[in-house]
Amino acid sequence: MDLKLLVFLVFSAVLIGAAIGVITTRNPVQAALFLVLAFFNSAIIWMLMEAEFLSITLVLVYVGAVMVLFLFVVMMLDINLLPQREGFTRYLPLGGLIVAAIVVQMIFLIRVRWFSAENYPVPDARAADYSNTEELGMAMYTDYIFQFEVAAVILLVAIIAAIALTMRRRPDTKYQRPSDQVLVQKEDRLRVVSMDSES
Amino acid sequence: MGFLEGLWLLIWTVIKVMLIIVPLLLSVAYLTYAERKVIGAIQVRKGPNRVGYAGLLQPIADVFKLLTKEVLVPTNSHRFLFVIAPILSLAPAFAAWAVIPFSDTMVLADVNAGLLYVLALTSLGVYGVIIAGWASNSKYAFLGAMRSAAQIVAYEIAMGFALVGVVMVGGSLNLGDIVRAQEGNLFHWFWLPLFPLFIVYFISGVAETNRAPFDVAEGESEIVAGFHVDYSGMAFALFFLAEYANMIMIAALAVIMFLGGWLSPIPFIPDGIGWFFAKTGFMLLFFLWFRATFPRYRYDQIMRLGWKVFIPVTIVWLTVVAAAILLEIEPWFALRAA
């Protein structure tokens, strides 16, 4: 067996296991950690497809930043998920119906047969000095610059909206103004009193 | 590739990995010794001076002490996560060394996206801290983990922006090519055109490794020892190893990206691996010097410095760098992209 295939099978198996772990484990922190494992394994599978830039970015952005913030929040919650699972059998028929609808939509809209193996031949391996970072950069900043900038603006709007929604002013909070502290003069704080000695 | 050839490649790679890891472990051991000696000198003390000549065997004695201590696992901890947390913090600290170029030809993996790889792996180190804090099931450990997570996320952004400046001037993500772009003399190195980014990068590096004056994650006067309060013996030693390996890593990266890596500062002395080690040692001295000089930052001041000072500084300087590259200001800024 090809070594590459073996690596692929091992990491896909771990990926699927981790994905199942995310939804079956009872502890939210464990679920988040399973998700980290799943991200990491998909990064390795992307690496096998010679998409090293996307693969490393997946680890950098999702594992290194997004999931850290996620864990940060989840760890502070002390929630018991059991009561939420009580209605499982009651809602099963409705859930099954929705799943069936989604599957049918996927079959008709995305057309599973377009994704069959015949339509996607194995791409030729690139030379060792081929850099897909440069290729991606060229595509994003020349051919697709407009779409790229629109996406950036949408992200900016989302950031500002998130801050605006969560910011609340609390007038009773005490905080320092570092600029005032830096600008303070001797005269503001210190009073020199000259007085006669008492002896 | 035949089977024997593949096997030989594997063995040869393992030998090369060992050639990096073993000296790294020794450097970590003697960095702790250097730290105690340097801080001792700054505080007009002798530092370790009993074990071996001038205390030179002190790190070895410390290793034996830690090895023979019992590893305790608290009763209500999450056993599995508690045990793998130190490993999770150590593994990225070592794995990042794979792409570090020690000299023009000495590099384990000469990959194109080397800088991204290093950034991705250094951002993984925080998991060891978070998981340790959570799995210990202790308030002090948990508070330490929370502090560390918020701090690392804040400073990683400034650090990443500083590195974007390096990539813009160097024209490559390959660490070897970044060093080669600095060829010339002392003033061709990137510390001069990217001086604000150099300062931001190094201070963020100190913050990222949880070193004084940014060591609120440990804060022994407030939260005892922070995230590793429940660890003992070898498990504690692994956290310690990871912290010092990360320090050496940050120093080595600063040398590669801003101080010309293996390049010689003096024209008639040849380039070589010696320069790399000398410069890394020089940068490491700053870590020890900071620790002996500055009092610990207050937590809100750390956050302010990261978000409100460093990130704006880097963004402004990135614009300056972009303008300078367009104007092609010699000798540093040129359009290098392929």
Side-chain angles (χ1 to χ4, degrees):
Chain A
M1 189 162 36
D2 192 7
L3 183 69
K4 214 171 156 182
L5 186 65
L6 186 72
V7 173
F8 172 75
L9 289 177
V10 168
F11 283 104
S12 337
V14 178
L15 171 59
I16 293 168
I20 293 172
V22 175
I23 51 171
T24 52
T25 184
R26 289 175 177 216
N27 187 329
V29 174
Q30 272 180 14
L33 290 173
F34 269 124
L35 193 54
V36 169
L37 187 63
F39 278 137
F40 210 87
N41 281 290
S42 21
I44 290 167
I45 289 172
W46 286 8
M47 189 74 96
L48 281 178
M49 296 164 75
E50 301 182 9
E52 76 265 0
F53 179 79
L54 288 177
S55 156
I56 298 175
T57 316
L58 180 72
V59 173
L60 183 62
V61 174
Y62 282 91
V63 180
V66 173
M67 286 315 290
V68 173
L69 293 175
F70 223 86
L71 264 180
F72 195 88
V73 176
V74 164
M75 281 200 311
M76 286 199 276
L77 304 172
D78 187 22
I79 46 172
N80 188 3
L81 286 177
L82 269 183
Q84 291 179 17
R85 291 176 184 234
E86 274 171 355
F88 185 73
T89 43
R90 224 181 91 206
Y91 295 116
L92 192 60
L94 186 64
L97 206 67
I98 294 172
V99 168
I102 292 174
V103 169
V104 168
Q105 277 179 354
M106 282 164 85
I107 289 170
F108 278 96
L109 293 176
I110 309 176
R111 301 277 180 98
V112 177
R113 58 193 155 87
W114 289 354
F115 288 95
S116 59
E118 298 93 68
N119 290 338
Y120 286 90
V122 180
D124 297 328
R126 303 284 186 168
D129 61 343
Y130 174 80
S131 162
N132 65 27
T133 315
E134 272 170 31
E135 293 291 318
L136 262 175
M138 287 304 272
M140 273 200 325
Y141 289 98
T142 54
D143 302 343
Y144 299 101
I145 181 72
F146 181 65
Q147 291 89 330
F148 183 71
E149 303 223 315
V150 168
V153 171
I154 292 173
L155 263 177
L156 183 67
V157 170
I159 292 171
I160 295 171
I163 294 173
L165 283 176
T166 52
M167 189 149 91
R168 52 197 170 119
R169 298 221 174 269
R170 279 180 291 185
D172 53 332
T173 317
K174 286 181 180 145
Y175 61 95
Q176 297 166 327
R177 293 195 189 84
S179 52
D180 292 358
Q181 289 178 320
V182 171
L183 290 173
V184 80
Q185 297 293 315
K186 190 172 77 181
E187 291 76 42
D188 302 339
R189 298 274 169 90
L190 194 69
R191 189 167 57 97
V192 181
V193 182
S194 57
M195 53 191 286
D196 300 329
S197 65
E198 289 179 357
S199 61
Chain B
M1 202 192 300
F3 176 73
L4 270 178
E5 252 179 281
L7 192 70
W8 174 240
L9 183 73
L10 182 71
I11 294 173
W12 182 229
T13 313
V14 170
I15 291 173
K16 284 198 273 193
V17 170
M18 283 300 146
L19 280 178
I20 295 176
I21 298 264
V22 172
L24 181 64
L25 285 174
L26 275 177
S27 318
V28 167
Y30 277 90
L31 183 58
T32 63
Y33 172 76
E35 176 169 29
R36 294 163 75 175
K37 274 288 185 192
V38 168
I39 294 178
I42 292 175
Q43 297 171 346
V44 207
R45 297 184 281 114
K46 275 188 174 171
N49 59 358
R50 294 302 160 100
V51 191
Y53 174 72
L56 271 171
L57 294 178
Q58 184 69 45
I60 315 284
D62 287 343
V63 167
F64 276 111
K65 180 195 80 174
L66 287 167
L67 273 174
T68 48
K69 273 186 163 182
E70 185 186 359
V71 177
L72 292 168
V73 181
T75 323
N76 279 327
S77 62
H78 191 298
R79 225 188 148 75
F80 177 71
L81 290 181
F82 187 83
V83 173
I84 65 162
I87 303 166
L88 278 180
S89 87
L90 188 65
F94 278 179
W97 282 89
V99 295
I100 297 291
F102 295 96
S103 79
D104 203 7
T105 48
M106 283 169 76
V107 50
L108 179 63
D110 191 15
V111 294
N112 277 329
L115 189 57
L116 266 182
Y117 170 83
V118 168
L119 256 185
L121 278 180
T122 47
S123 70
L124 293 184
V126 65
Y127 278 99
V129 175
I130 296 184
I131 292 174
W134 185 77
S136 304
N137 201 7
S138 142
K139 285 188 180 112
Y140 292 125
F142 189 65
L143 282 172
M146 290 276 115
R147 287 177 171 199
S148 170
Q151 179 181 334
I152 289 180
V153 167
Y155 280 86
E156 209 165 71
I157 299 171
M159 204 170 181
F161 274 145
L163 300 190
V164 169
V166 175
V167 173
M168 282 162 77
V169 183
S172 173
L173 281 170
N174 183 316
L175 291 174
D177 289 344
I178 290 175
V179 174
R180 277 175 216 113
Q182 303 178 46
E183 229 144 46
N185 59 27
L186 189 65
F187 300 103
H188 286 81
W189 299 349
F190 289 161
W191 67 269
L192 192 57
L194 300 178
F195 192 71
L197 298 185
F198 176 42
I199 300 297
V200 167
Y201 169 78
F202 194 64
I203 297 176
S204 304
V206 177
E208 192 115 319
T209 47
N210 282 331
R211 292 284 303 177
F214 300 99
D215 59 344
V216 288
E218 297 176 24
E220 55 278 287
S221 58
E222 307 147 25
I223 50 171
V224 200
F227 62 93
H228 56 56
V229 66
D230 279 320
Y231 284 85
S232 61
M234 222 33 223
F236 167 74
L238 290 185
F239 278 120
F240 212 69
L241 259 175
E243 180 180 326
Y244 280 77
N246 275 327
M247 270 166 70
I248 303 178
M249 180 83 212
I250 295 287
L253 277 176
V255 166
I256 286 168
M257 290 181 304
F258 297 100
L259 296 178
W262 63 81
L263 300 174
S264 155
I266 308 162
F268 54 86
I269 299 178
D271 306 333
I273 190 170
W275 286 112
F276 177 78
F277 290 136
K279 290 172 189 170
T280 309
F282 177 71
M283 293 312 292
L284 279 172
L285 182 64
F286 280 96
F287 276 96
L288 314 182
W289 196 353
F290 288 162
R291 183 172 166 192
T293 309
F294 297 118
R296 185 178 296 132
Y297 257 103
R298 214 176 52 209
Y299 194 71
D300 60 317
Q301 292 172 332
I302 291 187
M303 285 296 141
R304 181 178 169 271
L305 185 71
W307 289 104
K308 294 190 178 172
V309 180
F310 280 176
I311 293 177
V313 165
T314 48
I315 291 176
V316 167
W317 202 254
L318 284 185
T319 346
V320 173
V321 168
I325 290 176
L326 277 182
L327 297 172
E328 302 202 37
I329 297 174
E330 292 291 328
W332 310 292
F333 301 106
L335 289 166
R336 267 184 243 268

